[in-house]
């Protein structure tokens, strides 16, 4: 009958005649609007007493009063959400204690808590529009709320964090990892995003969640820089990758503790478009197996041996020494230009 199209575009009351053959009695309808935005509708069906001539006027007034209430309620919800996110960010960053958030939302701050972290990688974040940020946050919120009523979600670019307060004391990491896996699966299925998730440690009280957030960040940092074949991880899953990642961060920030011979080898490759550093690292990662390393690089074993000798001649490295091999394995993992 065109009723819904009319309500979508106009704030006038529309009258729908009765249709006894369809079981429809006479009714009035009006849109609840705020400017050009439709907030809802009000329907009034005629009962045993016929609608009066002024019913339409009364209904229009009711719609305008309802709009004021809805706008005010939305504003209050928005202000409340902003305040909650401010308290949550302060707690996760260690700037505020747990009590303001616990008091605001009625949480028991003495019960266990944990933090889940999510990231879709630096490249994806740069390419993703703001709408995608909101979509991911909404998706995380919906799926985690189904698992834990008290969960709170906030975004601290480029990552999304889930605070899980008031956890059962019997909760385990496997359960939390499963919750995270459900979210990453949904992000891939519905949004086409390769979301990565991390499970911070379960802490005994809400006041200790900064420890859980730090652990979640450590895991995400390692997952973004290492060859990790899992979408969601806890610290026991990738302990070695996390520790290597942190050692590399230390090397990256302190050039004075690097071996200058390895630095020179990387610089030589950069000037001459060479692959000596890559060859050396592949050889070391293959436990010195020349054939395995050559196969990875798609070169003849003799070519690999030549490159290794060339690297030693250029730098003075002695690959028979374990300490030099160990340092080379670490330093050559640094990103180019670091």
């Amino acid at each position: 009958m065109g009723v819904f199209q009319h309500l979508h575009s106009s704030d006038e009351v529309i009258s729908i005649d009765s249709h006894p053959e369809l079981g429809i009695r006479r009714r009035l309808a009006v849109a609840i609007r705020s400017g050009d935005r439709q907030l809802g509708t009000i329907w009034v069906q005629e009962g045993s007493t016929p609608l009066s001539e002024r019913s339409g006027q009364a209904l229009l007034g009711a719609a305008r009063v309802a709009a004021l209430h809805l706008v005010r309620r939305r504003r209050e919800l928005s202000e409340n959400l902003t305040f909650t996110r401010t308290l949550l960010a302060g707690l996760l960053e260690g700037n505020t204690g747990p009590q303001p958030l616990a008091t605001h939302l009625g949480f028991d701050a003495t019960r266990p808590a944990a933090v889940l972290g999510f990231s879709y990688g630096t490249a994806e974040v740069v390419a993703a529009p703001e709408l995608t940020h909101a979509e991911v946050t909404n998706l995380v919120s919906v799926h985690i709320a189904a698992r834990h009523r008290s969960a709170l979600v906030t975004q601290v670019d480029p990552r999304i964090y889930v605070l899980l307060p008031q956890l059962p004391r019997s909760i385990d990491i496997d359960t939390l990892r499963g919750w995270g896996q459900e979210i990453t699966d949904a992000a891939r299925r519905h949004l086409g995003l390769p979301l990565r998730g991390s499970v911070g440690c379960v802490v005994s009280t809400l006041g200790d969640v900064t420890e859980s957030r730090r652990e979640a960040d450590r895991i995400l940092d390692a997952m973004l820089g290492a060859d990790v074949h899992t979408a969601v991880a806890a610290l026991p899953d990738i302990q070695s990758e996390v520790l290597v990642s942190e050692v590399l961060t230390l090397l990256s920030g302190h050039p004075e503790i690097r071996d200058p011979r390895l630095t020179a080898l990387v610089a030589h490759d950069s000037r001459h478009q060479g692959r000596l550093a890559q060859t050396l690292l592949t050889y070391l990662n293959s436990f010195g197996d020349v054939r395995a390393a050559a196969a990875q690089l798609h070169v003849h074993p003799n070519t690999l041996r030549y490159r290794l000798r060339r690297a030693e001649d250029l730098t003075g490295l002695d690959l028979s020494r374990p300490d030099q091999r160990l340092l080379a394995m670490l330093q050559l993992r640094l990103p180019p230009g670091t």
Side-chain angles (χ1 to χ4, degrees), residues 12 14 44 51 64 85 89 92 118 126-127 161 178 193 196 205 211 226 248 252-253 261 277 289 320 325 330:
E12 296 179 355
I14 182 172
V44 178
L51 294 169
R64 291 173 178 173
R85 287 178 174 172
L92 292 177
F118 295 93
V126 171
Y161 296 97
L193 287 175
R196 291 288 185 95
T205 69
E211 178 185 349
L248 293 178
S252 178
R261 294 171 296 184
D289 187 329
S320 68
R325 295 198 303 270
L330 288 172

Side-chain angles (χ1 to χ4, degrees), residues 107-153:
F107 289 162
D108 182 352
T110 66
R111 289 176 57 181
V115 173
L116 306 182
F118 295 93
S119 173
Y120 38 102
T122 303
E124 290 86 355
V125 168
V126 171
E130 287 302 315
L131 179 60
T132 302
H133 292 295
E135 287 178 330
V136 175
T137 302
N138 289 339
L139 181 143
V140 172
S141 299
V142 168
H143 283 268
I144 199 61
R147 290 297 185 178
H148 190 61
R149 183 184 300 273
S150 302
L152 296 175
V153 180

Side-chain angles (χ1 to χ4, degrees), residues 143-223:
H143 283 268
I144 199 61
R147 290 297 185 178
H148 190 61
R149 183 184 300 273
S150 302
L152 296 175
V153 180
T154 190
Q155 181 178 335
V156 181
D157 286 336
R159 292 176 177 172
I160 296 169
Y161 296 97
V162 177
L163 172 64
L164 300 169
Q166 305 186 127
L167 288 171
R169 298 193 185 280
S170 59
I171 198 78
D172 57 36
I173 290 294
D174 287 340
T175 299
L176 300 183
R177 189 191 293 108
W179 294 357
Q181 188 67 53
E182 290 176 5
I183 291 171
T184 58
D185 288 346
R188 184 174 295 278
R189 186 167 58 250
H190 297 301
L191 302 179
L193 287 175
L195 205 63
R196 291 288 185 95
S198 62
V199 182
C201 56
V202 178
V203 293
S204 56
T205 69
L206 189 62
D208 299 320
V209 294
T210 51
E211 178 185 349
S212 185
R213 188 262 174 103
R214 280 195 297 269
E215 185 165 298
D217 278 336
R218 292 175 67 198
I219 296 165
L220 285 179
D221 289 342
M223 293 177 78

Side-chain angles (χ1 to χ4, degrees), residues 83-84 87-88 91 96-107 109 206:
F83 184 53
T84 299
L87 293 177
L88 176 57
L91 177 61
T96 61
Q99 205 53 53
L101 183 65
T103 300
H104 176 58
L105 297 176
F107 289 162
L206 189 62

